[in-house]
Amino acid sequence: MSKYQSHQIKRETSELVKIAIPAILAQLAQMALGVSDTIMAGNYSANALAAVGTGFNLFLIIFSLFMGMMIAINPMVAQLSGEKATRPIGKVFQLGFVMAVLFGIVSFAILHSAEHLLNFAGLPESIVTTTSNYLKALSWGTVSVFLFLALRSGNEGLFSTKAIMVCSFLAIPFNIILNYWFIFGGFGIEAMGAVGAGYATSIVWTLLFVFLGLYTWRNQAYAKFEIFKNFSLPSIKLTKEYFYIGLPIAMGMVMEIAMFGGIGILIARYGEQLAGAHQIAMNIASVAFMVPLGLSVAVTARVGYWLGQKRFGQMRLAGYCGIGLGIVFQIVTVIIMVALRYEIVGIYTDDTPIIEIAASLIFLAAIFQFSDGFQVNAAGALRGMKDTTIPMIYMGISYWIVGMPLGYYLAEYKGMKAQGYWIGIIAGLTVAAIFLLSRFIRKTKTMSDQAGNLPETH
């Protein structure tokens, strides 16, 4: 960073913040949808809370593969934007629509047969029955959610994060009303508990797609891209590029989310109280994670844009500024999590034993926030460079050779149960952060030194 002048750093940081703040708020708004599901299910019954938590963990393992593929649209669009291309951007959007429908249909089929996976995991019958019905209800929104993600990723690549933020906040009141109605019953509908939360989420996903679809369709600045005109199936060349970038992203996300989701399922074997406490603490940690995750969206877009401009020094600066901002944001969120842990957990449930267990787990959640913030922004910068294969390998090593085995050993052989698994998560995320940050530093140094094009000084 020493060769960058202070005004260059301030300018790039300012641009990142303009994109990142709406992206962060959009992530928080979308997380609020899941939080309201968990809170309302927890107030309905311990069984409903365990079912929603366990079911969504399983869903995330399936969902993350296809969600990772959708993320590839962001750097593809960002680089084309940096190159001042127009028609190719529209073709990338159309490619996203085709893939979203295919991914949604496959997810629908998987969720309808999830009961076999839950039985295989050895969960109690009471949780298996409710969870499988919850996932079937959730399946009706899979096509809509992937179409929304295709639109979201494309808009992020064009720096249009404010529109995504507005759409996400518009969905919150619908989610609360539908959750309350379907979970607790009323106005001609019987109480459905966790299953009602699944149907409510499916409807809200559809609304998100409609809201962002209308914005994208009506935005005059997008007319030149012809996103909704001259629709055609994607070319083989474009599809190959998409899978070359997206598949490693998807596999990396699967490995990370599978670690989290798998741990959630394993902890569910310890009973409803520990499963519920784990779900609450992980939900709180996930809310905090939305800050660096939203920032990583901006980092990917900015790095991808400068890659398209072939300004490699500026590209490197964008990554550094994003990672630095992530540290600042994480310090704030960690302080809030630790200082208000009992008050925050109390929002989810009034069950005293669950509150005590969840509050103790939040200390561990606070520790891994730093590693998680580092790794997600370093990964975001590498995605902007379309560098995804080696990071995927790093994630596999970090999560499944370090994190998961260590967590299993501490939980099952040392009797630490949930705390053992959480220590494994910390170890996996820390190793991933070191690997990814080191690769970004090495790769961008080589590119910027060879090109010799530092950021503009004016």
Side-chain angles (χ1 to χ4, degrees), residues 277-286 288 333-348 354-370 418-419 422 426:
H278 166 79
Q279 174 60 24
I280 290 171
M282 189 57 72
N283 206 275
I284 293 167
S286 298
T333 56
V334 164
I335 291 172
I336 293 172
M337 283 173 60
V338 173
L340 302 176
R341 61 190 183 281
Y342 282 100
E343 290 80 1
I344 297 171
V345 172
I347 296 172
Y348 290 82
I354 292 179
I355 290 174
E356 290 296 331
I357 297 169
S360 68
L361 292 177
I362 286 179
F363 276 107
L364 296 174
I367 295 172
F368 79 61
Q369 288 302 310
F370 288 104
Q419 289 188 341
W422 280 61
I426 293 170

Side-chain angles (χ1 to χ4, degrees), residues 40-245:
M40 291 188 179
N43 282 281
Y44 184 80
S45 70
N47 177 263
L49 175 61
V52 169
T54 305
F56 206 74
N57 279 327
L58 178 59
F59 170 72
L60 281 178
I61 296 172
I62 302 163
F63 178 69
S64 59
L65 175 63
F66 302 131
M67 180 173 65
M69 295 297 299
M70 292 292 103
I71 289 174
I73 297 170
N74 179 333
M76 292 174 72
V77 168
Q79 184 175 346
L80 289 170
S81 178
E83 294 172 355
K84 307 300 181 186
T86 52
R87 293 282 183 86
I89 289 176
K91 293 303 177 184
V92 173
F93 270 90
Q94 292 177 6
L95 171 99
F97 299 154
V98 173
M99 294 301 169
V101 173
L102 293 175
F103 297 157
I105 292 171
V106 173
S107 298
F108 178 89
I110 294 173
L111 292 180
H112 270 260
S113 59
E115 185 174 356
H116 303 295
L117 295 173
L118 295 168
N119 281 319
F120 180 76
L123 300 184
E125 186 177 348
S126 60
I127 295 180
V128 169
T129 301
T130 309
T131 302
S132 61
N133 289 331
Y134 164 76
L135 290 171
K136 287 177 182 177
L138 201 67
S139 70
W140 294 103
T142 52
V143 172
S144 293
V145 74
F146 286 120
L147 285 168
F148 166 71
L149 288 174
L151 287 168
R152 187 183 81 175
S153 193
N155 276 277
E156 287 167 349
L158 295 170
F159 303 159
S160 296
T161 51
K162 288 182 181 178
I164 303 165
M165 176 190 71
V166 171
C167 293
S168 300
F169 275 100
L170 283 174
I172 292 176
F174 287 98
N175 192 65
I176 293 172
I177 293 169
L178 290 170
N179 260 328
Y180 190 84
W181 188 16
F182 292 167
I183 292 174
F184 297 98
F187 298 101
I189 292 182
E190 293 184 1
M192 292 185 282
V195 178
Y199 284 120
T201 300
S202 292
I203 295 171
V204 170
W205 281 345
T206 303
L207 290 174
L208 280 168
F209 162 57
V210 171
F211 293 157
L212 192 55
L214 287 172
Y215 166 81
T216 306
W217 177 46
R218 299 289 294 175
N219 189 341
Q220 292 301 312
Y222 289 3
K224 59 188 176 184
F225 303 139
E226 298 187 352
I227 295 170
F228 300 101
K229 291 183 179 179
N230 303 317
F231 187 89
S232 61
L233 292 175
S235 67
I236 294 176
K237 180 181 177 182
L238 186 63
T239 304
K240 283 183 177 179
E241 181 186 5
Y242 173 72
F243 276 93
Y244 177 79
I245 300 168

